[in-house]
Amino acid sequence: MSDKPKKLIEKGKRLDGRKVDELRPIKMEAGVLKRADGSCYMELGGNKVIAAVYGPRAVHPRHLQEATQVIIRYRYDMASFSVEDRKRPGPDRRSVEISKVSREAIEPSIIKEYFPRSTIDIFVEILQADAGTRTVGINAASVALADAGIPMRGLVSSCAVGKVDGQIVLDLTGEEDNYGEADMPIAMTQDGKITLLQMDGHLTKEEFALAIELAKQGCKAIYEVQRNALVAKYKGGSYV
Amino acid sequence: MKLVIPGDILSDDVKRAGEGTYVASGKVYASIYGILDQKELRVIPLSGKYMPYTGDTVIGKVVDIIFSNWIVDINSPYEALLHISEHPERIDPCDMDRCLEIGDLIIARVKDVDATMRVELTLEKFRPLRSGRVIEISHTRIPRVIGRGGSMINLLKKELDCSIFVGQNGRIWINGKEDDIDLAIQTLLKIEREAHTPGLTDRIRELIERSKKRG
């Protein structure tokens, strides 16, 4: 990768010309996979992610099933061509951990009692990565679940905040993540309950409070995109 | 008719909460992605798996024979059981495959579904479907295939010269001449694709008339 640039923020503008509280351009489409029960494709800046949902369906192996509720399985996977240097394909320590925290971020939104003894399988495939892939994965998975007709309390939206050049910024790019002081991915339900919070780096108490506020704004903006993606699927129909 | 997504607030009247909704802190929210039925305050799904209800008629496929049960796939996350005692005559468990073989398709009624989603079936006629063809569409489109007060299904039966049986689980059995079946399948798939668009019954009538003239 390139060397550290002298300044990551100049005159209130970041390297890619964004303001500190601005998200990268987003593209989102629901129902892109024909053979999945629900699916979603999402782009956030340089991130390209596809999420597929299968189920509720019978659990294999059988001993994993629960008598009173559905189980959720989440697989976060990076394609070998998703990063600059080829990534060795298959699950590794990092993607296993991300799968776990992403599942826990999504799980509280699903009403699990409707489908005892079954499973919902979520597959998130990172086609191109540019910092914040787990947040994009969670956003796409949430829309794919709704697209699959699974009962939920609401959507989950997610974005990253961080500290770059001493300033709190929204939605870090790869460079800002590498050379910045902190990176903090957050996921929340639409009523503002936080379901994922990780932090790499250091923030003071005041900075942390500021970061949370900024993340709330970011998630709100992403929620609107998620909603539009679902509504657009049936545009041209007699309702909308 | 309004499209709603999970988490949308629908009403303050908790008592009216219907299917596809949930109640939290004195408000009714949508729990699934679908169309809001304002009258009954329920959400009609646009996608999702078939969930068996007592009294539904379904088209099932025998996938296994164990103990004194046939295991039947009903296009749902849950397999259904058809017990040997549903057969009008007493038969030996060893002779079960002589009545219904693995792979046979049957028209069955859901007799009972318990809390753990154990599904029991019963049969009106104890014989498999041997002629015709079965297609599978999303069960959420079945109400559209039937139409308001049966308007669509009556149109199809009248115009297509086929006998059509619609299962609640999204499987449809069509019997008749091969050419008629082809047209019927083509029509049914069009209904599935365009279920959410207005004026569909008229367009289907047109499609059938045009195809018949050509044929």
Side-chain angles (χ1 to χ4, degrees), chain A residues 55-130:
Chain A
R57 61 183 181 182
V59 189
H60 293 288
R62 286 283 268 277
H63 69 267
L64 293 174
Q65 74 180 25
E66 285 180 32
T68 57
Q69 59 179 11
V70 67
I71 61 165
I72 316 288
R73 293 188 288 197
Y74 191 112
R75 182 190 149 110
Y76 165 100
D77 186 58
M78 285 183 109
S80 54
F81 51 80
S82 63
V83 276
E84 271 177 46
D85 296 313
R86 178 186 140 91
K87 181 199 168 281
R88 204 181 124 94
D92 50 24
R93 191 199 56 76
R94 177 178 169 276
S95 65
V96 169
E97 182 191 305
I98 293 177
S99 299
K100 179 185 177 287
V101 295
S102 301
R103 190 195 76 231
E104 286 169 351
I106 287 277
E107 228 173 342
S109 73
I110 299 169
I111 305 175
K112 298 201 284 183
E113 293 73 26
Y114 284 162
F115 308 107
R117 297 192 296 119
S118 58
T119 178
I120 295 169
D121 293 325
I122 306 166
F123 297 91
V124 170
E125 201 68 29
I126 311 297
L127 305 176
Q128 189 176 300
D130 183 21

Side-chain angles (χ1 to χ4, degrees), chain B residues 121-140:
Chain B
L121 296 179
T122 179
L123 291 186
E124 253 112 71
K125 280 177 280 177
F126 226 92
R127 70 176 107 92
L129 303 171
R130 289 280 193 225
S131 58
R133 271 187 262 172
V134 170
I135 61 160
E136 215 169 81
I137 64 170
S138 168
H139 83 278
T140 56

Side-chain angles (χ1 to χ4, degrees), chain A residues 13-28:
Chain A
K13 286 241 172 126
R14 296 203 247 165
L15 290 178
D16 54 1
R18 278 185 297 156
K19 284 180 267 172
V20 289
D21 60 348
E22 207 175 329
L23 289 164
R24 285 173 281 179
I26 310 176
K27 208 173 117 189
M28 204 171 201

